[in-house]
């Protein structure tokens, strides 16, 4: 038997003035949560207020005292880099995710013995099969497919349209190749984080399944003070990112798209988005997952059909565009021309922008995908890890690739507008679609922006709601939902340059504690995946026998 220091919810720690609590005795070496509700998460009181006679504990104490000011300073410092005004600047978001891909995610891929790569085909067949749509076996609130659609709702967004165009303008056509490489390594991190979220999830007082990186950090890490601190930081950044990038920024994109295409007033859009979102989120994870299970496949199919039509219209230019992309992805310095457009790019620039925009798009390693995954009804953490891992494939390998190929094959990359500046962002994607579909192409891109952004609002609301309940308890959920709806209205009616800056920083900061947790728990994830291998082999043998019987 051993003694462990007691940890407690941050709200209680702040209210109690940071007094030291008596240690709690825990039987055996296995840590068990001290709370049975969503408020079981733990944070040392000393993080919030220094002990008597001792200096303040540095970063955490000053962060709580001056966090808002610090974020404003960071936003000002990285303003040009985050919004992409200065292509030579290295963004905070890009640096964090580049380091993650080059180091942490590569380690996870090796640690798991490339199992996510080797079993990608099996995972795709599982997602597209009937079993993933049924709540068969294991505890959970929604089907594995619905959990994946909720994850994709938060993942597939404006980055698939705007982010790809930005990466191609800043890094050249070769950036699309590096986005695919980023997605390949992202499979391991998304599989691991979702697996761990299912393994360490728990039901709250209302009977809903709750999980995510913050629950994993508290329950699985042996160093409880470190786990509590990482969990608090991750939950805090998740709430802030959900209100900013996941809500206000998306509502602003919807208002802009509707105003440009249909002249809808911003206030009207704000009211509609806020009310529609509130109607859905009041139903909890079941209603959110139900709506996402319909909206996400529908919007993806519509967008892919339009993109396929554009590619067929430029079929003769497609092989040359693909060859140019691979050449520029690994060429030290080259001038792109012909089908790829007219611009100058280098392999280093292509890698930097491709990796940064790719990670921003599929969000592997950020930890947000693990929160909806924890609600899935599944009999194995590894099974749901594989199911949610396919989100990286659908998001980047499919949708982002179609967007990038449309831009490169149509020859619009490098086009200048009336002022002489390069066409960028949604305007560049719309211009590529218009080359084949005419004015209808611009309308389809605007519709894609609206649907992608609204589904992102729904997916991020659940992520933020879970993090908010983790910080303040289940009773605070109605307050968060009201704040979320109000933020959607404000986002649609206000200029949000600062919000975009701050949200990009919060998204990057979410990845830091999540990556630390993934690296420390990589052995647990690897063992779970290895233990599930016999199940995959049995499934493959069964399918082979069925194929033989059909052939006979």
């Amino acid at each position: 038997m051993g003694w462990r220091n007691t940890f407690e919810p941050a709200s209680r720690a702040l209210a109690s003035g940071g007094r030291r609590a008596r240690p709690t005795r825990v039987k055996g070496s296995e840590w068990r949560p001290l709370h049975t509700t969503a408020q079981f998460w733990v944070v040392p009181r000393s993080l919030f207020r220094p002990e008597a006679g001792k200096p303040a504990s540095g970063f955490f104490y000053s962060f709580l005292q001056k966090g808002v000011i610090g974020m404003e300073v960071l936003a000002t410092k990285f303003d040009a880099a985050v919004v992409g005004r200065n292509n030579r600047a290295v963004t905070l978001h890009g640096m964090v995710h580049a380091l993650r891909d080059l180091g942490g995610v590569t380690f996870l891929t090796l640690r798991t013995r490339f199992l996510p790569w080797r079993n990608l085909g099996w995972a795709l067949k599982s997602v597209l099969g009937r079993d993933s749509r049924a709540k068969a076996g294991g505890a959970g609130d929604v089907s594995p497919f619905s959990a994946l659609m909720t994850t994709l709702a938060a993942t597939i967004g404006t980055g698939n349209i705007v982010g790809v165009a930005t990466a191609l303008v800043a890094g050249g056509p070769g950036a699309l190749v590096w986005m695919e490489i980023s997605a390949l390594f992202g499979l391991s991190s998304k599989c691991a984080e979702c697996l761990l979220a299912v393994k360490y999830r728990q039901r709250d007082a209302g009977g809903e399944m709750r999980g995510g990186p913050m629950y994993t950090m508290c329950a699985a890490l042996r160093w409880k003070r470190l786990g509590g601190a990482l969990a608090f930081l991750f939950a805090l950044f998740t709430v802030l990112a959900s209100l900013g990038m996941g809500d206000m920024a998306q509502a602003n994109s919807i208002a802009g798209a509707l105003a440009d295409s249909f002249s809808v007033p911003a206030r009207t859009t704000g009211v509609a988005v806020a009310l529609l979102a509130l109607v859905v989120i009041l139903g909890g994870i079941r209603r959110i997952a139900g709506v996402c299970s319909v909206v996400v496949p529908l919007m993806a199919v519509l967008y892919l059909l339009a993109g396929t039509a554009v590619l067929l219209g430029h079929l003769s230019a497609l092989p040359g565009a693909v060859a140019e992309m691979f050449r520029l992805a690994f060429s030290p310095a080259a001038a792109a021309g012909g089908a790829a457009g007219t611009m100058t790019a280098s392999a280093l620039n292509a890698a930097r922008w491709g990796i940064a925009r790719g990670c921003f798009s599929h969000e592997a390693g950020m930890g947000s995908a693990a929160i909806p995954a924890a609600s899935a009804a599944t009999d194995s953490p590894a099974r749901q890890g594989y199911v949610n891992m396919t989100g990286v494939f659908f998001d980047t390998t499919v949708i982002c690739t179609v967007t990038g190929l449309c831009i490169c094959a149509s020859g619009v990359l490098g086009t200048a507008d009336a002022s002489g500046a390069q066409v960028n962002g949604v305007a560049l994607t719309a211009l590529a679609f218009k080359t084949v579909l005419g004015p209808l192409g611009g309308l389809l891109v605007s519709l894609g922006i609206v649907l992608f952004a609204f589904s992102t609002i729904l997916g991020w609301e659940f992520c933020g709601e879970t993090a908010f309940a983790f910080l303040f308890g289940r009773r605070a959920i109605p307050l968060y939902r009201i704040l979320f709806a109000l933020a959607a209205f404000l986002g649609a009616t206000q200029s949000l340059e600062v919000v975009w800056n701050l949200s990009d920083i919060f998204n990057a900061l979410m990845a830091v504690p999540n990556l630390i947790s993934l690296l420390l728990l990589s052995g647990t994830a690897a063992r779970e995946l290895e233990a599930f291998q016999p199940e995959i082999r049995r499934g493959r043998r069964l399918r082979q026998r069925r194929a033989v019987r059909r052939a006979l």
Side-chain angles (χ1 to χ4, degrees):
M1 295 185 182
W3 293 84
R4 305 281 177 86
N5 288 335
T6 298
F7 297 83
E8 63 179 3
S11 55
R12 297 185 185 179
L14 289 171
S16 64
R19 295 186 299 272
R20 298 287 293 179
R22 292 181 301 171
T24 298
R25 195 174 189 180
V26 181
K27 295 183 178 180
S29 59
E30 181 182 358
W31 178 82
R32 299 177 183 179
L34 302 178
H35 302 270
T36 57
T37 68
Q39 263 193 328
F40 86 93
W41 72 279
V42 293
V43 173
R45 295 183 177 188
S46 59
L47 292 180
F48 299 96
R49 186 161 300 184
E51 299 179 21
K54 294 184 178 181
S57 55
F59 171 75
F60 296 106
Y61 180 67
S62 62
F63 179 83
L64 290 177
Q65 294 291 327
K66 303 177 181 179
V68 176
I69 298 175
M71 288 300 103
E72 289 177 352
V73 171
L74 279 174
T76 303
K77 209 168 188 179
F78 291 93
D79 176 71
V82 174
V83 299
R85 292 176 181 172
N86 185 353
N87 289 346
R88 294 183 179 273
V90 179
T91 67
L92 176 64
H93 191 276
M95 286 190 295
V96 170
H97 288 301
L99 290 174
R100 186 198 68 193
D101 268 331
L102 294 175
V105 176
T106 302
F107 173 79
L108 283 172
T109 303
L110 296 173
R111 187 69 177 83
T112 56
R113 297 174 55 244
F114 297 93
L115 286 175
W117 294 14
R118 292 156 52 189
N119 296 324
L120 178 60
W122 178 89
L124 291 173
K125 291 178 180 178
S126 299
V127 170
L128 300 176
R130 296 180 179 179
D131 294 342
S132 66
R133 291 167 173 79
K135 294 168 58 177
D141 298 328
V142 297
S143 68
F145 180 80
S146 296
L148 172 62
M149 290 301 104
T150 306
T151 299
L152 281 176
T155 304
I156 299 177
T158 55
N160 297 83
I161 298 177
V162 181
V164 174
T166 302
L168 293 177
V169 170
L176 186 60
V177 176
W178 285 100
M179 289 182 71
E180 306 300 338
I181 295 174
S182 168
L184 185 63
F185 283 93
L187 292 172
S188 302
S189 59
K190 182 154 288 193
C191 181
E193 66 189 20
C194 293
L195 178 157
L196 293 170
V198 174
K199 182 177 178 63
Y200 295 105
R201 63 185 178 178
Q202 67 170 219
R203 289 200 179 274
D204 62 12
E208 289 190 357
M209 194 68 75
R210 299 285 181 180
M214 53 277 196
Y215 290 84
T216 300
M217 294 166 188
C218 288
L221 292 179
R222 296 178 60 184
W223 302 279
K224 297 310 169 185
R225 287 184 179 272
L226 175 63
L230 293 176
F232 168 74
L233 291 175
F234 178 84
L236 176 64
F237 294 141
T238 300
V239 170
L240 296 174
S242 69
L243 293 174
M245 183 64 71
D247 188 12
M248 298 180 71
Q250 303 301 323
N252 189 264
S253 297
I254 294 174
L258 293 179
D260 293 340
S261 300
F262 306 102
S263 301
V264 179
R267 287 184 176 273
T268 302
T269 302
V271 172
V273 170
L275 290 179
L276 287 174
L278 192 61
V279 168
V280 176
I281 64 182
L282 286 177
I285 180 58
R286 291 178 177 86
R287 188 178 298 174
I288 293 174
V291 172
C292 292
S293 297
V294 176
V295 174
V296 173
L298 176 63
M299 71 180 185
V301 169
L302 288 176
Y303 186 78
L304 290 176
L305 287 175
T308 302
V310 174
L311 292 178
L312 290 176
H314 297 286
L315 190 60
S316 60
L318 189 58
V322 174
E324 191 79 352
M325 285 163 41
F326 279 93
R327 184 176 70 85
L328 293 176
F330 305 103
S331 175
T342 303
M343 61 186 303
T344 301
S346 66
L348 183 60
N349 207 38
R352 178 163 62 85
W353 281 97
I355 291 175
R357 291 296 94 187
C359 295
F360 178 79
S361 177
H362 56 65
E363 298 180 0
M366 188 181 296
S368 56
I371 297 176
S375 301
T378 181
D379 58 350
S380 169
R383 186 189 302 276
Q384 191 61 34
Y386 281 128
V387 168
N388 273 76
M389 176 189 73
T390 61
V392 177
F393 176 84
F394 291 123
D395 175 86
T396 305
T397 308
V398 177
I399 297 180
C400 286
T401 299
V402 169
T403 302
L405 289 177
C406 288
I407 294 174
C408 293
S410 61
V412 299
L413 187 61
T415 302
D417 56 18
S419 64
Q422 284 195 53
V423 179
N424 198 352
V426 64
L428 182 61
T429 306
L431 188 61
F433 276 58
K434 288 178 181 178
T435 58
V436 173
L437 303 175
L440 179 61
L443 293 178
L444 288 175
V445 171
S446 296
L447 180 61
I449 287 285
V450 171
L451 292 177
F452 286 176
F454 185 72
S455 68
T456 300
I457 289 175
L458 298 181
W460 267 100
E461 190 282 333
F462 182 70
C463 295
E465 175 184 302
T466 302
F468 199 79
F470 183 85
L471 291 171
F472 304 107
R474 179 178 173 80
R475 294 182 179 180
I477 290 179
L479 173 61
Y480 176 81
R481 290 173 176 173
I482 294 173
L483 291 175
F484 195 85
L486 292 176
F489 174 77
L490 292 175
T493 57
Q494 303 295 324
S495 176
L496 295 179
E497 187 170 318
V498 175
V499 173
W500 278 95
N501 298 348
L502 290 173
S503 298
D504 215 0
I505 293 173
F506 291 137
N507 282 353
L509 292 177
M510 282 175 61
V512 176
N514 186 57
L515 177 59
I516 295 174
S517 175
L518 285 177
L519 293 178
L520 293 175
L521 298 174
S522 59
T524 301
R527 286 189 294 271
E528 288 285 340
L529 293 177
E530 192 64 40
F532 192 70
Q533 275 301 102
E535 180 71 20
I536 295 178
R537 296 191 186 101
R538 281 193 294 268
R540 287 173 176 167
R541 287 195 296 266
L542 182 60
R543 282 195 294 268
Q544 290 173 357
R545 291 173 185 172
R546 290 175 179 173
V548 171
R549 290 174 184 174
R550 290 171 186 169
L552 295 176

